[in-house]
Amino acid sequence: MLPKDKSTTPSSKSSTASRPGGLDTPVQFVKGVGPRLAAIFNNREIKTIRDLLTFFPRAYEDRTRLLAIQELTEGQKASVAVRILSSRKIPMRQSGRFFFETRCTDGTDGKDTLSLKWFHLPRGLETRLTPNAQVIVTGVVKFFMNQREIVHPEITWKPGTDVASVGRIVPVYIEIEGVPTRVLRKILWEALEKYSRLLSEDLPLHYRGQHQLPLLSEAVRTIHFPPESTSSEMNIHGVDQLVAFNTPAHWRLIYEEFFKFEYLVLRQRLHMEREAATAFHVSTDSNATKDLTHSLPFRLTLDQKKAVEEILADLSQPHPMNRLIQGDVGCGKTAVAFLAAGTVLAEGGQAALMAPTEILAEQHYTNASHIFGKKLNTVLLTGKTPSAERTQIQLRLESGEPLLLIGTHALIEQPVQFKDLAFIIIDEQHRFGVEQRRTLRKKGTRLDPSSGRILHPHMLIMSATPIPRTLALTAYGDLSISTIHEMPPGRSPVKTRVFWGSAKNEAYEKIRQELKKGHQAYFIYPLIHESEAEGFTHLKSAIQEANRLAQEVFPEFKVGLLHGQLKPDEKASIMNQFKKNELQVLVSTTVVEVGVDVPNATMMAVEHAERFGLSQLHQLRGRVGRGTVQSHCFLFAHAHTGEVTTQRLNVLEETSDGFQIAEADLELRGPGEFLGVRQSGSLPFKLANLVRDQAWLLKARNDVQDLLRKDPDLNAPEHLPLRRYYEREGSLQFERLKTS
Ligand code: ADP
Ligand code: MG
């Protein structure tokens, strides 16, 4: 009953789909779905038959075998064919309400009995559970007063007719309120019977064949209702493989999701390569680069050198760079960015560096001026810049003077115009949204009078959160990546310990010892959404804690408090006091960027560590350990948080490798942590999982690269179905991901 190979008849899909009775038909037309269920489905974004068919099971249950009552064990989920013996209402002592109990048996002698209980009796059930009725019941078995029972079992009324729910491996879906599981299975069964053959192939036949993957229609059917032959072939492991999403049907769909996504990502990359940008005649041998490098008060690490090389190589190309430098806090990304910027200025281009906070922007400005002096023509623009100075800066920018403009959001918010903005650097990229990056990029989009072409700026973005490899290939696949693994010499890894529950005093004592030696400490409180009520109580608790630390715990030292509701100059003043060691302890909420360099701070204490992502904690920890003295990080966590939390925090005690931590984070918490404002939702995968399915991701990516080499615009007849797919679905998901 499989459809004939429709991938060779390109037009079949869209025409079949849009025809009445095609895959775009509203769900309401599936047998068993009336207006009421249709409304419920619509609320869950299941609008068409296509949506319904691709509402995939999240797990499976083995109901290939009906069990005998006698075999049932405690806690087991099982299906049993039974005959009803009796039913009755039983009053509950406390509430005065009733529960409903049905006793049944599976033998003629009625010796083995099973009790079924309902505390909320579905309408109409009572009248149907009459003596001698034959049904199949499914549920979790419990022992109550030595009697086997199932509470709220699933009932199949006419044994032998409900093929979707008994006698097979059955799918388990995410619960949809108002649609009982059994009904949902039946609806899917109906829909698959009637419509699955319309699911034609978008994937180029060639690649699917290479991996010996089943046809889409077959894969979708199998994934909902694994056929018996499959289950017996896979014998006892059948369910395990299904539950692990590790069957050819799953592979097919996972591969397809990756394939379709990678095409968009890699095409975007190709697209940028087709755009024009100023090609600078630069390399690490350029005089300007050498000169700037000599001004540095240190020698670049090998990774820094390599990053500079990669950036300069990109800048010498006539199309825009789109590169990310990733590396742990303190690895020296800024120096790399400055060298690249200086090289561009020497070639007559203008550059801009945008940082997320005033403190950071000022720090960059001060460092640049301090290190390079006149060799790097730099100006600072923040919300604080007086308007006379701003006008002055504006004039210089318009004149085309080669300079590096360092600033905050002010760079995009102010009506700043450049003459020739050729190079953009974004620090702490995760703190900015796609729109903000785009706005800045537009300021560098300009007409090249000599060639008449539109030029785009080169982009360099920096991040201290290492991106797991799989994300680098998907969500960040449109970027080239330079990685700085190596830390500047003379730093020793921060010693990390998790303190559970009330074991804090020991940590306080350790901190006191260090403070006595003249070192400084940070205390961090989680404060994620300041404006929300929850955030407000945290702010209160941060203030209270600051007082408590000042008065009760460290009365002999000076404690300062930094939070997002302070005015910018208040923040700067507190930060400066900490820098000058006028404050020994700095209590801060996480909304405040403590990205400033205070080498004398050797202690980092984080409250409610269980609320943070591992990478975030790792970043916080990177604020200490900047000098040569041994630094410590203390993570305070609640004792009664779950297993996952324990496992998570221990990773930090064990490793200081940001990449390993990022991988663990991805595995434990999913990609949300890393996407940040880059993408408001999650990746558009229904089945694919970046960690579990890495191998398929790599295969899909390889194949897409091959496809892009051969037919980037999908003009060949065998690629038309894929092109139609993109035309039909648009590339909405991807739009949100783009860096530029
Ligand atoms: P991040 O990568 O976190 O932005 P920074 O660029 O702020 O790191 O560098 C952190 C500190 O390390 C700065 O004080 C910087 O001057 C210093 N630094 C950078 N590179 C080196 C190096 N190769 N050797 C020694 N110190 C360095
Ligand atoms: Mg930095």
Side-chain angles (χ1 to χ4, degrees), residues 328-330 332-334 360 363-364 427-428 462 464 595 623 626:
D328 274 353
V329 173
K333 297 182 286 291
T334 326
L360 265 182
Q363 182 183 289
H364 286 326
D427 193 17
E428 309 282 345
M462 304 200 275
R623 306 295 175 208
R626 300 197 147 207

Side-chain angles (χ1 to χ4, degrees), residues 132-150:
N132 285 325
Q134 307 243 358
V135 295
I136 290 177
V137 296
T138 302
V140 179
V141 179
K142 280 202 223 137
F143 275 78
F144 182 70
M145 316 238 295
N146 265 337
Q147 164 75 36
R148 292 178 173 89
E149 66 171 36
I150 298 179

Side-chain angles (χ1 to χ4, degrees), residues 400-414:
E401 178 185 336
L403 51 68
L404 169 64
L405 180 65
I406 298 180
T408 53
H409 300 89
L411 299 193
I412 42 178
E413 282 153 14
Q414 304 290 328

